[in-house]
Amino acid sequence: MMAAIKAEFRKLLTVRSTYILTGFVILLVIFVAFYPEGWRLQGPQLHDPMTLTNDITGALNVLVFGAVIAMLLMTHEYRYNTIMYTLTSSRSRSRILWAKFVTVSVYALLLTTTLAVLSPLMSYVGVHASGHSLAPQTIDYGSIIWRALFYGWAYIMSAYVLAALIRNQIGAIVALFVIPTVEQLLSILFKHASVYLPYIALNAVTQQPSPQQGVISHGRAAAVFGVYLIVGWIVAWVLFLRRDAN
Amino acid sequence: MIKAEHLGKKYRKKVAVDDITFTAATGKVTGFLGPNGAGKSTTMRLMLGLDNGAGVTTYDGKLLREYVRPSHVVGILLEAKAFHPTRLARRHLTVLADAGNIPKQRVDEVLDIVGLTSEAKKKPGKFSLGMSQRLGIAAAILGKPKYLILDEPANGLDPEGIAWLRDFLKDYARQGNAVFISSHLLDEMSQMADDVVVIGKGKLIANTSMKELITGNSRSSVFVRSSNLSALEKAIKKGSLVYEKSDGGFKVTGTTTDKVGKLAFDAGAPVLELANRNASLEDVFLELTEGAEEFRTKNGGGKS
C-alpha cells in the first residue's frame, strides 16, 4: 500500500498541471484577499466582525482548480493508458483506488489549509497597508476550521469520485460544472428541500443557502453531502474493480 | 511457465477471444501471431487481468495477484505511447519503480540498457515511435521480471533497433525467463521466436514450436534434381509421394530429404541437388489464418 501511495504522490508531483493550477489558485487568492478584500475595503465592511471569517469561506470557491487536479490524477491514467502499468504493479485494484484516495485527501487538506490561512492573512495585510484597521473580529475557530477543511476535502474528493466514475477527462470536468448548475435549476422544483441536493448541501457547510432553498445546519449539510460522497465512492469502487482497464 | 487457460472475452454479441488455451515456456521466446482484429491485444490484457473475462492465467502456477510484487514477476509493453507526455522519461520510470517497490538505481540501469540515457530528462511526448518503444521496453524490464509480455514492441524501431531487440529478447529468455511477444514482422518473428501461438477470429489456431510449424506446413517441401529424371520420377511415384515438376527437378511434399535421397539411390538416379525448401513463416501464417482475417483487402492480400 505504501508503494502505491508513494507512486501516486509522485504522479501528482511530476506533472506541470499540478504546479500551474495550484500556483494559479494561490496567486488568485493572494491577489483577491490583498486587493479587493483588503486594500480596497471601505466603510461598513471594515466594521464587520465577520470579515476575516467570510474571507476564509470565500477563498474556498477557487478550490475548483484543486478539484481539476484531483480529476487529472485519475483521468490521466486512462487518457495516456498508464492505467495498465498502475494495475499490474499492485496485487489489488482496491489498493490503487485507496492510494489515490489518500493522495487526493492529503492534497485537498493541504490546499484548503493554505487558502484558509492565506486569505484572511492577506486581507488583514491589505487593510493595514492601506492605512485602515479592521474592527475586532469574531472568529469561531473550531467551527470555521472543521467547516473549511470538510468543504475543501469533500469538494475535491467529489471531483475525484466523478473522475473515477466517468474516467474521461473532459466528461469528468464538464460534470463537475454541470451538476451544481443543474442543482440550481432543480431548486426551483424542490424549493425548501433543495438543501438536500449534493452541492447545495456542500455549500451550506460554509455559507447559508438562500432562504428559498431551505434551512439546514452546517453539521447536517455536511452529513447530507457525506452520504452522497460515500454512495458515489462505493459505486466508483465497485466499477473500478469490475470494468476493463481502458 | 505462463499457462493461459480457457481465456474468453465478449463485447456485447461479438466474441473477441473464444476459449483460448496455450502455454509459454521459460527459457524461450514465444511469438503470438494473428491477423488484425484476431484478439491478440485482448488476449494479452486478459492474461494480465486488465480486462475482465473468462479463464485464468498463471505464472509458475500462481495467479498474478497472488504475488506480493507483481512488477517483479511480469513486465509489460502493451502500447508504445503509454506515458504522460510531459512527465520526463526518467520520472515516468521512477513512478513505475515506486509503484513496484523497485530500487531507484534500476531506473538508470534500464535507461542505459535501452539506450535512452541521453534522453532521460526529456519529455516523452516528443519522442519518436521508436524511442517510445524503447522507453516502454525499459518500463517492462524495470522489475527484472521473469516474464515479459510485449505487444508489437518492434513497431517503429529502426533496423538497428530491431536487431538489438531481437538479441536482447533472445538473451533475456536464455537467462531462464519467458518472453511472450506479438508482432506483425513475421520475418523478424521467425528469427526470434522458439515457440509460436497463432490465433484467428479469437480462436486458437496453433500452439507449437516454430520449427514444427514451418516444417509441418503443406508448403514445406523437398527439392530434388537428377541427371536421370525419368528414373527419379518413377521412384517418387513408387514411393506414393506427392510431387510436382519444378526448376528442372521435382518438388516433393510431405517427406524428408532422407527418404527422397534413398529413393533416388535405390532407383539408380544420380542426385545433383537435394534440399529442404521450408515455407517461410509468412507462407505458414497466411495459410493458417486464411479466412480468419477480420479485415481483408479486395484481392485477399495474401500470396497465392
Side-chain angles (χ1 to χ4, degrees), chain A residues 3 6-7 10-11 14-16 76 80-82 84-85 87-91 93 241-246, chain B residues 9 45 49-52 65 67-68 70-71 76 78-79 82-87 94 96 98-99 104:
Chain A
K6 197 174 166 190
R10 200 177 288 276
K11 281 177 199 167
T14 52
V15 288
R16 279 184 314 191
H76 275 166
Y80 302 118
N81 239 323
T82 51
M84 63 184 184
Y85 290 124
L87 293 184
T88 51
S89 65
S90 176
R91 301 172 69 182
R93 290 189 177 195
L241 296 181
R242 293 190 173 188
R243 277 167 161 176
D244 291 345
N246 56 7
Chain B
K9 177 72 180 171
R45 295 173 65 83
L50 291 172
D51 282 2
N52 288 307
R65 65 169 177 267
Y67 285 95
V68 178
S71 303
I76 62 165
L78 300 187
E79 196 184 304
F83 45 68
H84 191 292
T86 63
R87 183 180 286 132
T94 310
L96 303 184
D98 282 342
K104 293 285 176 307

Side-chain angles (χ1 to χ4, degrees), chain A residues 183-245:
Chain A
E183 283 183 27
Q184 292 301 325
L185 295 172
L186 285 175
S187 69
I188 298 167
L189 201 68
F190 286 107
K191 297 193 168 63
H192 293 301
S194 301
V195 285
Y196 293 99
L197 292 170
Y199 284 102
I200 293 177
L202 182 61
N203 284 332
V205 173
T206 54
Q207 296 156 353
Q208 278 304 325
S210 67
Q212 295 94 325
Q213 292 177 330
V215 178
I216 193 168
S217 69
H218 296 311
R220 198 178 174 92
V224 168
F225 191 77
V227 170
Y228 281 111
L229 203 54
I230 289 167
V231 171
W233 172 254
I234 290 169
V235 174
W237 192 1
V238 171
L239 289 177
F240 191 71
L241 296 181
R242 293 190 173 188
R243 277 167 161 176
D244 291 345

Side-chain angles (χ1 to χ4, degrees), chain B residues 52-173:
Chain B
N52 288 307
V56 288
T57 304
T58 53
Y59 301 84
D60 282 343
K62 284 164 79 176
L63 297 171
L64 196 53
R65 65 169 177 267
E66 289 172 342
Y67 285 95
V68 178
R69 293 176 178 175
S71 303
H72 296 251
V73 179
V74 181
I76 62 165
L77 167 58
L78 300 187
E79 196 184 304
K81 300 257 177 190
F83 45 68
H84 191 292
T86 63
R87 183 180 286 132
L88 307 183
R90 193 177 185 285
R91 286 187 178 157
H92 167 66
L93 294 175
T94 310
V95 167
L96 303 184
D98 282 342
N101 251 327
I102 297 162
K104 293 285 176 307
Q105 63 265 30
R106 180 68 183 153
V107 170
D108 294 321
E109 281 174 30
V110 294
L111 280 167
D112 188 43
I113 289 170
V114 301
L116 280 183
T117 303
S118 60
E119 311 297 316
K121 290 182 179 171
K122 289 187 180 166
K123 292 170 188 168
K126 292 177 181 170
F127 281 7
S128 66
L129 182 57
M131 287 164 72
S132 302
Q133 291 283 22
R134 284 173 188 263
L135 185 59
I137 292 163
I141 61 173
L142 195 59
K144 294 183 183 171
K146 187 172 179 184
Y147 300 102
L148 283 183
I149 295 181
L150 313 171
D151 195 3
E152 306 278 356
N155 271 5
L157 290 179
D158 53 22
E160 182 272 332
I162 291 175
W164 167 81
L165 182 69
R166 184 203 313 135
D167 294 342
F168 174 77
L169 293 180
K170 285 173 92 167
D171 191 49
Y172 200 85

